[in-house]
Amino acid sequence: MSETYGDSLLPILLPIVEARVQEADWKLRESALLALGAVSTGCIQGLRPYIQQMAGLMIPMTADAQPLVRSIACWALGRYSYELATGTRQSAEGAQLYDRALLAVAERSLDRHRKVQAAAISALAVFVEESEPELLVQKLPVLVDVLVQAASLYGRKNMRLLYDAMVTLGERLAGTSQLRQPETAQKLFPPLLQRLHALSEHDAEALPLLACLASLVISLGASSGEFCSFLFERSVRVLQVQGTLKRGEALQGAVSGGQADLPEYNPEMVSAALDLLGGVAEALGPQTEALVAARGQGLEALLAAACGDGHDGVRRSGFALLGELGRTCPARVLGAAGSAMECAVGIWAPLVVQCLHPPRLVTGSAVSAASNACWAVGELAAPIGRGGLEPVVAALVDAIAPLLSRTSGFKRSMLENAAIAIGRLALSCPEPLAPHLEAFIWNWCAALAAVRDGPEKQQAFLGLCALVKGNPTAGLRGFAVVCEALASWQEAPPEVARESMALLGQFQAHLAALGQWQGYWTTVRPVMRTKLQAMYAAATGAQLPT
C-alpha cells in the first residue's frame, strides 16, 4: 500500500502505530513495528521529518521482553539506517540517535535467541553498508568486539549472516589505517580459523567461511600477515583433496562399483580455495614469494589444472590467482629464465587461448573467466619478456583481439582487461605483432580510450606507440581512432605524453610532406583536436599545425 499511496497513507498510519507501540499485548507492538518497517520505502519522503521520533520509539523495543518484538525492532531500525546515518551531519541530536540505534542493534546481535541474532546481525550489516567510513571508524573497536563474541555464540545458520557482516565491515573500511591495525586482525581471525580448523577439506560448510576469509585478508592487508601461512596451507590442502576426489570420481565412472560413501568433488570449494590464495597474495604483496617457496610445493600443477578446468567458476578463480601470482611472485609460476620458463609459457599460453575460445563465452561466469585470463596475460607479459613471448604472442593476440569487437556486448571490465593485455604484450614483444596491427587497431584503440588513467593504461599506451612505430601504415589507416585514444588521458604520465606526442609529430611531418595532413586531421573530432594540440604543446614546446 505504501508503494501505491505513498505519503498520503501517513496521516492514517502514524497515529495507529504510535498508539500500538504502547500496548501491553506484544503482538500489537510487533504489528506496529512491522508497519513502520514496511512503509520505509514508499513513504520515506513524508517520514523524514519524523525519523528521530520513530527511532526513539523503536530503539527501546530492541530490548523488549518478547523475542519477536526484539527481532522486528532490529529489522525496522535497519530499514531506516540510511536516514539515521545522514542525520549525523544535520545535528548533534541526529548523531546521538545514530549512535544509540547502532549500539542497540549491535547489542541485540549477542542476544541468546537465534531469531533475534539473525535480525540484529543483518541490520548491523545494513547499518555498516549505509554509513560513511568516518562514522564507522569511531565505533570500530565496539563492532569488532561484537563480531568476535558473536562468532562464539552463533549456530551454523547464523554464522553465514555473521560472515556477511564481517565482509561488509571490511569492505566498507578497506584501506583505512584503523582497520589495518594489527590488533583488529588479531581479534577477527582466531575465531574464524578455529572454525575452519574444525571443518574437513571437503565440508561444504567451509565455503562461506573461506569466502569471508578471502575478503577479510584483502581488506586488512599486511596486518593479516601472521595468519596467512595457515590460510595458504589450508587452501593448498583443499585443492589437493578436491583434486583427489575428482580423479576418484573419474575412476568410478570408468569402473563399475567403487566406494559410494566417498565425499563428492565440489568445484565451488576449489574456487573458494583459489580465491583465498589470491587474497593472501594480494595482502602480502612481494612477501608472497617466500610463502610460496616454503609452502607452495605442487601449487603450479594445481593452478594449471584449475585454469584448464571445465567448470567456469574454477577457471575464473584460477586465472585470477595466476594473475595475482604473476604480479607478486612471477618466478614461482614461470620458473627461472631459459628452458623452465619456456616450459611454463608452453603450459599457460594454450590454457589462455582455450579459455578465450568463443563457444565457451556463453555464460556470465565463462566471460568472467576469460576476463581474468586476459588480466593474467597482462600481468605475466613483462616477467616473461620478449624471448619467452615470441613463440606464443601472435596466438594470444589472435585469441584476445576478437573480444574487443563492438558487437561482442561484453562488459567494460572485460574490454579493459583485453585491451590492456594486448598493450602489455605489445610493449614486451612488439616485432611479431606489428605486421598484424591493422587487423585489430580500430577496436583496440576504441577500447583503450575507455580505460581509466593508471599504470596499466600507461603500459598499454606505450605498447600502442611501439606497434604504430613498427607499422606506421596501419597507424595511418586508423589515424582518427589512434588520435581519439591518445586524447583520452585526463593527465598523461610524462613518458606517455612524450612518446605519444612524438608519434603524432611524426604523423604530421609525414602527411604534411604528402600534402595530406589537413585531410587526416579533420577526421578527428574538434574537441579531441583541441586537446591534442594542448598536449602536443606541453610535451614538445611547439605548436601542432591546424
Side-chain angles (χ1 to χ4, degrees):
M1 290 179 67
S2 69
E3 295 288 346
T4 302
Y5 295 103
D7 294 346
S8 62
L9 195 64
L10 295 179
I12 303 170
L13 177 67
L14 291 180
I16 298 173
V17 167
E18 192 168 4
R20 285 200 169 187
V21 295
Q22 310 297 332
E23 293 282 356
D25 187 342
W26 70 267
K27 293 180 182 178
L28 295 178
R29 299 198 302 276
E30 182 199 19
S31 68
L33 290 168
L34 275 170
L36 279 180
V39 300
S40 61
T41 53
C43 301
I44 193 60
Q45 294 297 331
L47 284 171
R48 283 203 172 101
Y50 307 102
I51 292 294
Q52 292 191 16
Q53 178 185 348
M54 288 168 20
L57 293 173
M58 290 186 281
I59 290 171
M61 297 180 78
T62 62
D64 195 277
Q66 285 293 331
L68 284 179
V69 174
R70 298 199 299 274
S71 65
I72 295 300
C74 291
W75 168 78
L77 274 173
R79 301 276 286 186
Y80 293 96
S81 56
Y82 175 78
E83 282 71 27
L84 289 168
T86 55
T88 61
R89 298 194 294 266
Q90 297 168 6
S91 67
E93 292 80 6
Q96 291 174 359
L97 191 65
Y98 168 84
D99 288 349
R100 287 178 57 206
L102 180 65
L103 294 176
V105 169
E107 184 179 350
R108 282 307 103 211
S109 298
L110 302 178
D111 199 286
R112 292 291 172 178
H113 196 282
R114 286 180 296 176
K115 288 188 176 180
V116 179
Q117 293 171 3
I121 198 66
S122 298
L124 186 62
V126 175
F127 264 93
V128 169
E129 192 168 14
E130 298 290 0
S131 301
E132 293 298 324
E134 56 266 23
L135 286 176
L136 295 174
V137 294
Q138 302 170 23
K139 303 290 184 293
L140 183 60
V142 174
L143 294 173
V144 169
D145 286 345
V146 167
L147 296 175
V148 170
Q149 291 178 60
S152 63
L153 184 65
Y154 284 10
R156 176 181 59 84
K157 187 175 181 180
N158 284 350
M159 278 303 298
R160 297 193 175 206
L161 300 175
L162 177 61
Y163 297 149
D164 289 341
M166 288 182 169
V167 168
T168 302
L169 180 63
E171 291 178 347
R172 201 75 181 103
L173 295 181
T176 61
S177 59
Q178 292 87 347
L179 182 69
R180 293 195 166 190
Q181 293 299 314
E183 53 266 28
T184 304
Q186 290 161 4
K187 288 181 178 180
L188 284 175
F189 278 106
L192 297 179
L193 299 191
Q194 185 177 1
R195 282 198 173 251
L196 183 62
H197 188 72
L199 299 170
S200 69
E201 285 79 5
H202 52 74
D203 192 334
E205 285 301 315
L207 272 172
L209 176 53
L210 291 173
C212 174
L213 287 165
S215 180
L216 281 180
V217 78
I218 294 171
S219 296
L220 273 70
S223 66
S224 61
E226 65 179 285
F227 306 102
C228 284
S229 179
F230 173 82
L231 295 174
F232 185 91
E233 289 184 12
R234 176 59 184 248
S235 299
V236 171
R237 276 204 311 277
V238 169
L239 296 179
Q240 291 169 339
V241 168
Q242 291 296 323
T244 300
L245 292 176
K246 185 177 184 181
R247 290 190 294 273
E249 288 184 1
L251 288 174
Q252 280 186 325
V255 180
S256 60
Q259 301 181 27
D261 58 345
L262 281 176
E264 292 184 356
Y265 165 70
N266 189 340
E268 292 183 0
M269 188 74 78
V270 176
S271 182
L274 292 165
D275 290 341
L276 182 49
L277 285 171
V280 167
E282 184 173 343
L284 292 182
Q287 297 176 9
T288 308
E289 170 84 30
L291 184 57
V292 177
R295 307 183 186 279
Q297 185 176 5
L299 179 60
E300 184 180 346
L302 293 169
L303 183 53
C307 291
D309 198 276
H311 189 274
D312 296 339
V314 172
R315 287 201 314 282
R316 180 194 64 226
S317 299
F319 279 112
L321 176 57
L322 176 61
E324 200 59 56
L325 294 178
R327 189 178 66 84
T328 56
C329 54
R332 291 297 158 187
V333 290
L334 294 175
S339 59
M341 180 177 287
E342 291 177 8
C343 180
V345 173
I347 294 172
W348 298 120
L351 289 173
V352 170
V353 172
Q354 177 182 319
C355 183
L356 302 182
H357 192 48
R360 274 194 157 175
L361 305 181
V362 294
T363 65
S365 54
V367 172
S368 294
S371 181
N372 286 350
C374 291
W375 177 69
V377 167
E379 293 297 329
L380 291 170
I384 294 173
R386 180 175 303 183
L389 284 174
E390 279 184 342
V392 299
V393 68
L396 287 172
V397 173
D398 282 347
I400 297 171
L403 304 177
L404 300 174
S405 169
R406 296 180 183 180
T407 60
S408 66
F410 292 133
K411 292 181 179 178
R412 177 173 179 166
S413 58
M414 163 71 111
L415 299 176
E416 285 191 2
N417 284 338
I420 289 169
I422 293 176
R424 296 172 93 173
L425 288 171
L427 181 59
S428 295
C429 190
E431 290 84 359
L433 293 181
H436 308 285
L437 176 60
E438 188 175 350
F440 57 85
I441 188 171
W442 285 87
N443 290 333
W444 182 36
C445 286
L448 281 178
V451 176
R452 290 175 284 265
D453 289 8
E456 292 183 339
K457 180 170 180 172
Q458 177 178 350
Q459 294 174 351
F461 266 75
L462 293 175
L464 170 63
C465 292
L467 283 198
V468 174
K469 285 180 182 177
N471 188 348
T473 301
L476 280 175
R477 288 177 178 165
F479 179 79
V481 73
V482 170
C483 288
E484 292 271 339
L486 297 181
S488 67
W489 286 89
Q490 297 298 316
E491 185 175 353
E495 186 180 8
V496 171
R498 185 172 59 252
E499 289 291 322
S500 61
M501 292 303 102
L503 185 66
L504 185 58
Q506 291 167 13
F507 276 146
Q508 191 278 328
H510 174 73
L511 292 170
L514 299 175
Q516 298 175 357
W517 167 249
Q518 196 64 36
Y520 274 82
W521 186 236
T522 54
T523 64
V524 182
R525 289 185 297 156
V527 64
M528 294 304 186
R529 293 203 301 264
T530 301
K531 190 170 183 180
L532 286 171
Q533 286 166 341
M535 291 173 67
Y536 188 84
T540 67
Q543 294 297 317
L544 191 67
T546 57

